[in-house]
mmCIF file with all atom_site columns, all heavy atoms in Angstrom:
data_model
loop_
_atom_site.group_PDB
_atom_site.id
_atom_site.type_symbol
_atom_site.label_atom_id
_atom_site.label_alt_id
_atom_site.label_comp_id
_atom_site.label_asym_id
_atom_site.label_entity_id
_atom_site.label_seq_id
_atom_site.pdbx_PDB_ins_code
_atom_site.Cartn_x
_atom_site.Cartn_y
_atom_site.Cartn_z
_atom_site.occupancy
_atom_site.B_iso_or_equiv
_atom_site.pdbx_formal_charge
_atom_site.auth_seq_id
_atom_site.auth_comp_id
_atom_site.auth_asym_id
_atom_site.auth_atom_id
_atom_site.pdbx_PDB_model_num
ATOM   1   N N   . GLU A 1 148 ? 20.095 2.474  8.785  1.00 0.00 ? 148 GLU A N   1
ATOM   2   C CA  . GLU A 1 148 ? 20.455 2.226  7.360  1.00 0.00 ? 148 GLU A CA  1
ATOM   3   C C   . GLU A 1 148 ? 21.716 1.374  7.254  1.00 0.00 ? 148 GLU A C   1
ATOM   4   O O   . GLU A 1 148 ? 22.599 1.503  8.089  1.00 0.00 ? 148 GLU A O   1
ATOM   5   C CB  . GLU A 1 148 ? 20.565 3.554  6.612  1.00 0.00 ? 148 GLU A CB  1
ATOM   6   C CG  . GLU A 1 148 ? 21.605 4.495  7.132  1.00 0.00 ? 148 GLU A CG  1
ATOM   7   C CD  . GLU A 1 148 ? 22.992 4.280  6.568  1.00 0.00 ? 148 GLU A CD  1
ATOM   8   O OE1 . GLU A 1 148 ? 23.138 3.530  5.601  1.00 0.00 ? 148 GLU A OE1 1
ATOM   9   O OE2 . GLU A 1 148 ? 23.927 4.871  7.114  1.00 0.00 ? 148 GLU A OE2 1
ATOM   10  N N   . LEU A 1 150 ? 23.430 1.192  4.113  1.00 0.00 ? 150 LEU A N   1
ATOM   11  C CA  . LEU A 1 150 ? 23.719 1.521  2.711  1.00 0.00 ? 150 LEU A CA  1
ATOM   12  C C   . LEU A 1 150 ? 25.161 1.825  2.505  1.00 0.00 ? 150 LEU A C   1
ATOM   13  O O   . LEU A 1 150 ? 25.754 2.605  3.226  1.00 0.00 ? 150 LEU A O   1
ATOM   14  C CB  . LEU A 1 150 ? 22.928 2.776  2.272  1.00 0.00 ? 150 LEU A CB  1
ATOM   15  C CG  . LEU A 1 150 ? 21.419 2.776  2.615  1.00 0.00 ? 150 LEU A CG  1
ATOM   16  C CD1 . LEU A 1 150 ? 20.810 4.094  2.252  1.00 0.00 ? 150 LEU A CD1 1
ATOM   17  C CD2 . LEU A 1 150 ? 20.721 1.602  1.869  1.00 0.00 ? 150 LEU A CD2 1
ATOM   18  N N   . GLU A 1 152 ? 28.061 3.598  0.312  1.00 0.00 ? 152 GLU A N   1
ATOM   19  C CA  . GLU A 1 152 ? 28.174 4.659  -0.679 1.00 0.00 ? 152 GLU A CA  1
ATOM   20  C C   . GLU A 1 152 ? 28.577 4.008  -2.008 1.00 0.00 ? 152 GLU A C   1
ATOM   21  O O   . GLU A 1 152 ? 29.396 3.080  -2.020 1.00 0.00 ? 152 GLU A O   1
ATOM   22  C CB  . GLU A 1 152 ? 29.228 5.665  -0.234 1.00 0.00 ? 152 GLU A CB  1
ATOM   23  C CG  . GLU A 1 152 ? 28.715 6.620  0.768  1.00 0.00 ? 152 GLU A CG  1
ATOM   24  C CD  . GLU A 1 152 ? 29.703 7.727  1.101  1.00 0.00 ? 152 GLU A CD  1
ATOM   25  O OE1 . GLU A 1 152 ? 30.403 8.199  0.214  1.00 0.00 ? 152 GLU A OE1 1
ATOM   26  O OE2 . GLU A 1 152 ? 29.730 8.068  2.271  1.00 0.00 ? 152 GLU A OE2 1
ATOM   27  N N   . LYS A 1 201 ? 23.259 -1.392 14.323 1.00 0.00 ? 201 LYS A N   1
ATOM   28  C CA  . LYS A 1 201 ? 23.865 -0.550 13.320 1.00 0.00 ? 201 LYS A CA  1
ATOM   29  C C   . LYS A 1 201 ? 25.370 -0.402 13.641 1.00 0.00 ? 201 LYS A C   1
ATOM   30  O O   . LYS A 1 201 ? 26.230 -0.563 12.778 1.00 0.00 ? 201 LYS A O   1
ATOM   31  C CB  . LYS A 1 201 ? 23.167 0.816  13.292 1.00 0.00 ? 201 LYS A CB  1
ATOM   32  C CG  . LYS A 1 201 ? 23.922 1.907  12.584 1.00 0.00 ? 201 LYS A CG  1
ATOM   33  C CD  . LYS A 1 201 ? 24.007 1.659  11.106 1.00 0.00 ? 201 LYS A CD  1
ATOM   34  C CE  . LYS A 1 201 ? 25.018 2.607  10.481 1.00 0.00 ? 201 LYS A CE  1
ATOM   35  N NZ  . LYS A 1 201 ? 25.011 2.573  9.040  1.00 0.00 ? 201 LYS A NZ  1
ATOM   36  N N   . ASN A 1 205 ? 28.794 -2.150 11.586 1.00 0.00 ? 205 ASN A N   1
ATOM   37  C CA  . ASN A 1 205 ? 29.950 -1.407 11.022 1.00 0.00 ? 205 ASN A CA  1
ATOM   38  C C   . ASN A 1 205 ? 31.223 -1.714 11.763 1.00 0.00 ? 205 ASN A C   1
ATOM   39  O O   . ASN A 1 205 ? 32.323 -1.816 11.187 1.00 0.00 ? 205 ASN A O   1
ATOM   40  C CB  . ASN A 1 205 ? 29.672 0.115  11.071 1.00 0.00 ? 205 ASN A CB  1
ATOM   41  C CG  . ASN A 1 205 ? 28.943 0.567  9.800  1.00 0.00 ? 205 ASN A CG  1
ATOM   42  O OD1 . ASN A 1 205 ? 28.664 -0.222 8.907  1.00 0.00 ? 205 ASN A OD1 1
ATOM   43  N ND2 . ASN A 1 205 ? 28.597 1.866  9.775  1.00 0.00 ? 205 ASN A ND2 1
ATOM   44  N N   . ARG A 1 248 ? 39.182 -7.822 1.407  1.00 0.00 ? 248 ARG A N   1
ATOM   45  C CA  . ARG A 1 248 ? 40.285 -7.354 0.560  1.00 0.00 ? 248 ARG A CA  1
ATOM   46  C C   . ARG A 1 248 ? 41.213 -6.455 1.354  1.00 0.00 ? 248 ARG A C   1
ATOM   47  O O   . ARG A 1 248 ? 40.774 -5.433 1.928  1.00 0.00 ? 248 ARG A O   1
ATOM   48  C CB  . ARG A 1 248 ? 39.731 -6.530 -0.624 1.00 0.00 ? 248 ARG A CB  1
ATOM   49  C CG  . ARG A 1 248 ? 39.467 -7.354 -1.899 1.00 0.00 ? 248 ARG A CG  1
ATOM   50  C CD  . ARG A 1 248 ? 39.196 -6.407 -3.061 1.00 0.00 ? 248 ARG A CD  1
ATOM   51  N NE  . ARG A 1 248 ? 38.775 -5.068 -2.706 1.00 0.00 ? 248 ARG A NE  1
ATOM   52  C CZ  . ARG A 1 248 ? 37.507 -4.692 -2.547 1.00 0.00 ? 248 ARG A CZ  1
ATOM   53  N NH1 . ARG A 1 248 ? 36.534 -5.519 -2.698 1.00 0.00 ? 248 ARG A NH1 1
ATOM   54  N NH2 . ARG A 1 248 ? 37.254 -3.440 -2.241 1.00 0.00 ? 248 ARG A NH2 1
ATOM   55  N N   . LYS A 1 316 ? 37.163 5.022  -1.418 1.00 0.00 ? 316 LYS A N   1
ATOM   56  C CA  . LYS A 1 316 ? 37.019 3.782  -2.118 1.00 0.00 ? 316 LYS A CA  1
ATOM   57  C C   . LYS A 1 316 ? 36.566 4.073  -3.555 1.00 0.00 ? 316 LYS A C   1
ATOM   58  O O   . LYS A 1 316 ? 36.205 5.240  -3.840 1.00 0.00 ? 316 LYS A O   1
ATOM   59  C CB  . LYS A 1 316 ? 36.011 2.857  -1.436 1.00 0.00 ? 316 LYS A CB  1
ATOM   60  C CG  . LYS A 1 316 ? 34.569 3.364  -1.465 1.00 0.00 ? 316 LYS A CG  1
ATOM   61  C CD  . LYS A 1 316 ? 33.613 2.330  -0.900 1.00 0.00 ? 316 LYS A CD  1
ATOM   62  C CE  . LYS A 1 316 ? 32.179 2.849  -0.978 1.00 0.00 ? 316 LYS A CE  1
ATOM   63  N NZ  . LYS A 1 316 ? 31.199 1.924  -0.469 1.00 0.00 ? 316 LYS A NZ  1
HETATM 64  C C1  . UGA B 2 .   ? 29.739 1.288  5.258  1.00 0.00 ? 1   UGA B C1  1
HETATM 65  C C2  . UGA B 2 .   ? 29.041 -0.074 5.432  1.00 0.00 ? 1   UGA B C2  1
HETATM 66  O O1  . UGA B 2 .   ? 29.619 -1.000 4.518  1.00 0.00 ? 1   UGA B O1  1
HETATM 67  C C3  . UGA B 2 .   ? 27.537 0.042  5.151  1.00 0.00 ? 1   UGA B C3  1
HETATM 68  O O2  . UGA B 2 .   ? 26.895 -1.191 5.341  1.00 0.00 ? 1   UGA B O2  1
HETATM 69  C C4  . UGA B 2 .   ? 26.941 1.081  6.073  1.00 0.00 ? 1   UGA B C4  1
HETATM 70  O O3  . UGA B 2 .   ? 25.564 1.290  5.876  1.00 0.00 ? 1   UGA B O3  1
HETATM 71  C C5  . UGA B 2 .   ? 27.642 2.431  5.806  1.00 0.00 ? 1   UGA B C5  1
HETATM 72  O O4  . UGA B 2 .   ? 29.073 2.264  6.091  1.00 0.00 ? 1   UGA B O4  1
HETATM 73  C C6  . UGA B 2 .   ? 27.001 3.464  6.760  1.00 0.00 ? 1   UGA B C6  1
HETATM 74  O O5  . UGA B 2 .   ? 27.114 3.282  7.987  1.00 0.00 ? 1   UGA B O5  1
HETATM 75  O O6  . UGA B 2 .   ? 26.379 4.369  6.252  1.00 0.00 ? 1   UGA B O6  1
HETATM 76  P P1  . UGA B 2 .   ? 30.639 2.762  3.208  1.00 0.00 ? 1   UGA B P1  1
HETATM 77  O O7  . UGA B 2 .   ? 31.085 3.787  4.251  1.00 0.00 ? 1   UGA B O7  1
HETATM 78  O O8  . UGA B 2 .   ? 29.962 3.186  1.990  1.00 0.00 ? 1   UGA B O8  1
HETATM 79  O O9  . UGA B 2 .   ? 29.663 1.681  3.878  1.00 0.00 ? 1   UGA B O9  1
HETATM 80  O O10 . UGA B 2 .   ? 32.022 2.021  2.822  1.00 0.00 ? 1   UGA B O10 1
HETATM 81  P P2  . UGA B 2 .   ? 32.423 0.493  2.671  1.00 0.00 ? 1   UGA B P2  1
HETATM 82  O O11 . UGA B 2 .   ? 32.068 -0.065 1.360  1.00 0.00 ? 1   UGA B O11 1
HETATM 83  O O12 . UGA B 2 .   ? 32.039 -0.248 3.872  1.00 0.00 ? 1   UGA B O12 1
HETATM 84  O O13 . UGA B 2 .   ? 34.042 0.677  2.675  1.00 0.00 ? 1   UGA B O13 1
HETATM 85  C C7  . UGA B 2 .   ? 34.657 1.206  3.862  1.00 0.00 ? 1   UGA B C7  1
HETATM 86  C C8  . UGA B 2 .   ? 36.183 1.177  3.667  1.00 0.00 ? 1   UGA B C8  1
HETATM 87  O O14 . UGA B 2 .   ? 36.663 -0.165 3.678  1.00 0.00 ? 1   UGA B O14 1
HETATM 88  C C9  . UGA B 2 .   ? 36.668 1.800  2.410  1.00 0.00 ? 1   UGA B C9  1
HETATM 89  O O15 . UGA B 2 .   ? 37.835 2.563  2.681  1.00 0.00 ? 1   UGA B O15 1
HETATM 90  C C10 . UGA B 2 .   ? 37.012 0.618  1.521  1.00 0.00 ? 1   UGA B C10 1
HETATM 91  O O16 . UGA B 2 .   ? 38.001 0.832  0.565  1.00 0.00 ? 1   UGA B O16 1
HETATM 92  C C11 . UGA B 2 .   ? 37.491 -0.385 2.592  1.00 0.00 ? 1   UGA B C11 1
HETATM 93  N N1  . UGA B 2 .   ? 37.405 -1.795 2.151  1.00 0.00 ? 1   UGA B N1  1
HETATM 94  C C12 . UGA B 2 .   ? 36.172 -2.375 1.953  1.00 0.00 ? 1   UGA B C12 1
HETATM 95  C C13 . UGA B 2 .   ? 38.538 -2.584 1.983  1.00 0.00 ? 1   UGA B C13 1
HETATM 96  O O17 . UGA B 2 .   ? 39.665 -2.063 2.224  1.00 0.00 ? 1   UGA B O17 1
HETATM 97  N N2  . UGA B 2 .   ? 38.423 -3.887 1.632  1.00 0.00 ? 1   UGA B N2  1
HETATM 98  C C14 . UGA B 2 .   ? 37.231 -4.468 1.467  1.00 0.00 ? 1   UGA B C14 1
HETATM 99  O O18 . UGA B 2 .   ? 37.210 -5.685 1.130  1.00 0.00 ? 1   UGA B O18 1
HETATM 100 C C15 . UGA B 2 .   ? 36.071 -3.684 1.567  1.00 0.00 ? 1   UGA B C15 1
#
Side-chain angles (χ1 to χ4, degrees):
E148 58 87 12
L150 311 174
E152 282 186 37
K201 164 69 192 190
N205 272 358
R248 268 191 340 267
K316 65 174 182 179

